[in-house]
Amino acid sequence: MSRPTTPTVPPQWSRPRELAFQILADSRQGAYVNLALSKALAGSSLTGADRRWVTELVSGAARHLGSLDAIIEAAAGRSLTSLQPAVVDVLRLGAQQLLYMRVATHAAIDQSVELARHRIGQRVTGLVNAVLRRVAVQGLSDWLDQLSVGLSTDQQLALRTSHPLWIVQAYRQVLPASEVEPALLANNQSPVPTLVVRPGLLERAALLALAGGEPTPYSPWGVIRAGDPGEVAAIQAGLAGVQDEGSQLMAGLLDLVDAPDLPWLDLCAGPGGKTALMTGLAQKRRQSVVGAELHQHRARLVVDALRGYGVAPVVVADGRIPAWNSAFGRVLVDAPCSGLGALRRRPEARWRKQEADLGDLCLLQRALIDQALDSVPPGGVVAYVTCSPHRRETVDQVAAVEASGRAEVLDAPSLWPQVEQATALDDRRCLQLWPHRHGTDAMFAAVLRRQ
Ligand SMILES: C[S@@+](CC[C@H](N)C(=O)[O-])C[C@H]1O[C@@H](n2cnc3c(N)ncnc32)[C@H](O)[C@@H]1O
């Protein structure tokens, strides 16, 4: 007799709050919320509105961790470290519904208590019920006002925008005072997916006709389109991809400068979005692009991004140690960085990053810039790009390279003249984009010409 088959997805996963609870638990073990969410949704029977609701619930709870925890601690009258981590997860999900989503109070509390009973045990239901009732006694702005008493301006901003204090302070160094709060708040909005055509393979007008959406305001290759990009046939066929508009502008920089007519190099290529766009642009100049990437699994993603072009000049290599002997005319260093400019994409990221990580990152970035300059002849051009606006990873690096006498800093903002307000605060030759100004990630670029 054959045994009944076990369903691969537990039935309770089809219930939104259970699914959100599981994702927060996975996130505590190190999973990325976005990836865990897509995997869980793919295996669930949830439909449209429920999927959007779970996404808002779990992404919001991960993003608002700082403010939610401060409110829960005040309501509970005890430190969260004295509670079982799973109970904290239930409380965060409940408080997210009560304070940041339009969920009726009784539904948010009753369902959270049920969740706690089912996933943790009867013994914790009284505590969950009592704490969430206290959270519900006032709205978000009253809680924030109450908890702001006695805090410094930056501590208040950290609480209100739900960011670690060091990130607030880092933003303050690179933005006019009036823009710090809008910039931080912009990190709490999930971006609408942006598609990009592969130049030479598909025109933007054709992608718009095929998939719908709106043209991006600045990039000539982009389309803003709500919905699942995986369903777009042109993406499946390798004729288009998914790429933030800011990244598109960065990848296009090297095509906008004069440089020796030699092959191009993408020194930190994985997962390959910029390599693909650069390949289309270089091919129009009858040049090729070599992609170098340290990690094999990410190099494979570069090969996949290039599949529409039918070429795969990708090397697995440490960009600090040349695996090539040819000279390149143009080199992109899209360096590993803190990622402080892409926080809206990764809900939990701000709570995982540490200021102490910057030291090693900055050393790596500088070594990669030096190697890139070694890879071009005099007159060759290097674009140094980060998805971080942090001073130490951006204008400070550029100042150090300039002081070494190895490179001249070109006027990068003038290469994209249609993008207004795109200069870095402390070095007007550098390009700095912002979500609250441009609707892009906070990408930084300096364009360096080897002396
Ligand atoms: C910011 S990402 C690049 C994103 C990519 N340019 C794109 O647009 O798809 C930085 C990449 O550099 C790679 N990396 C880190 N250290 C490296 C090194 N020493 N040499 C080459 N690549 C490195 C990382 O694995 C990561 O894939």
Side-chain angles (χ1 to χ4, degrees), residues 85-140:
V87 172
V88 175
D89 287 344
V90 172
L91 291 173
R92 286 174 178 159
L93 291 171
Q96 164 70 15
Q97 292 167 61
L98 288 167
L99 300 171
Y100 286 97
M101 295 167 71
R102 275 185 277 175
V103 178
T105 303
H106 66 88
I109 296 176
D110 293 354
Q111 293 286 329
S112 299
V113 170
E114 273 316 300
L115 179 65
R117 189 194 322 281
H118 183 229
R119 295 301 295 254
I120 307 168
Q122 178 67 29
R123 68 195 158 74
V124 299
T125 53
L127 172 88
V128 168
N129 187 35
V131 174
L132 289 182
R133 279 186 191 288
R134 268 176 253 139
V135 169
V137 294
Q138 56 187 352
L140 178 64

Side-chain angles (χ1 to χ4, degrees), residues 15-47:
R15 301 215 295 270
R17 287 178 175 83
E18 302 263 358
L19 191 125
F21 175 81
Q22 186 59 47
I23 294 168
L24 280 198
D26 292 347
S27 164
R28 264 194 286 111
Q29 304 301 318
Y32 295 117
V33 165
N34 285 350
L35 298 184
L37 183 63
S38 327
K39 198 167 151 203
L41 287 177
S44 87
S45 57
L46 293 186
T47 51

Side-chain angles (χ1 to χ4, degrees), residues 62-253:
R63 260 191 204 109
H64 300 136
L65 198 90
S67 46
L68 289 176
D69 284 4
I71 292 169
I72 295 167
E73 281 198 337
R78 59 198 271 190
S79 157
L80 293 192
T81 53
S82 69
L83 297 172
Q84 195 181 336
V87 172
V88 175
D89 287 344
V90 172
L91 291 173
R92 286 174 178 159
L93 291 171
Q96 164 70 15
Q97 292 167 61
L98 288 167
L99 300 171
Y100 286 97
M101 295 167 71
R102 275 185 277 175
V103 178
T105 303
H106 66 88
I109 296 176
D110 293 354
Q111 293 286 329
S112 299
V113 170
E114 273 316 300
L115 179 65
R117 189 194 322 281
H118 183 229
R119 295 301 295 254
I120 307 168
Q122 178 67 29
R123 68 195 158 74
V124 299
T125 53
L127 172 88
V128 168
N129 187 35
V131 174
L132 289 182
R133 279 186 191 288
R134 268 176 253 139
V135 169
V137 294
Q138 56 187 352
L140 178 64
S141 61
D142 288 335
W143 270 116
L144 295 177
D145 287 347
Q146 178 184 322
L147 294 172
S148 292
V149 174
L151 299 185
S152 69
T153 308
D154 280 356
Q155 285 170 331
Q156 287 186 32
L157 261 184
L159 174 72
R160 288 180 181 280
T161 65
S162 205
H163 282 77
L165 182 60
W166 75 272
I167 296 184
V168 176
Q169 291 165 340
Y171 271 48
R172 188 172 290 293
Q173 287 196 336
V174 290
L175 275 168
S178 62
E179 287 188 51
V180 178
E181 185 166 7
L184 293 165
L185 287 174
N187 289 337
N188 294 343
Q189 304 295 323
S190 299
V192 177
T194 309
L195 315 186
V196 61
V197 291
R198 303 281 184 239
L201 302 182
L202 186 70
E203 295 293 324
R204 173 162 71 175
L207 180 59
L208 283 164
L210 288 167
E214 295 289 323
T216 43
Y218 309 117
S219 160
W221 308 290
V223 168
I224 300 167
R225 179 188 178 276
D228 181 2
E231 292 165 356
V232 176
I235 292 182
Q236 293 162 5
L239 306 178
V242 180
Q243 189 174 43
D244 175 65
E245 187 181 10
S247 289
Q248 297 177 28
L249 297 173
M250 300 296 135
L253 282 172

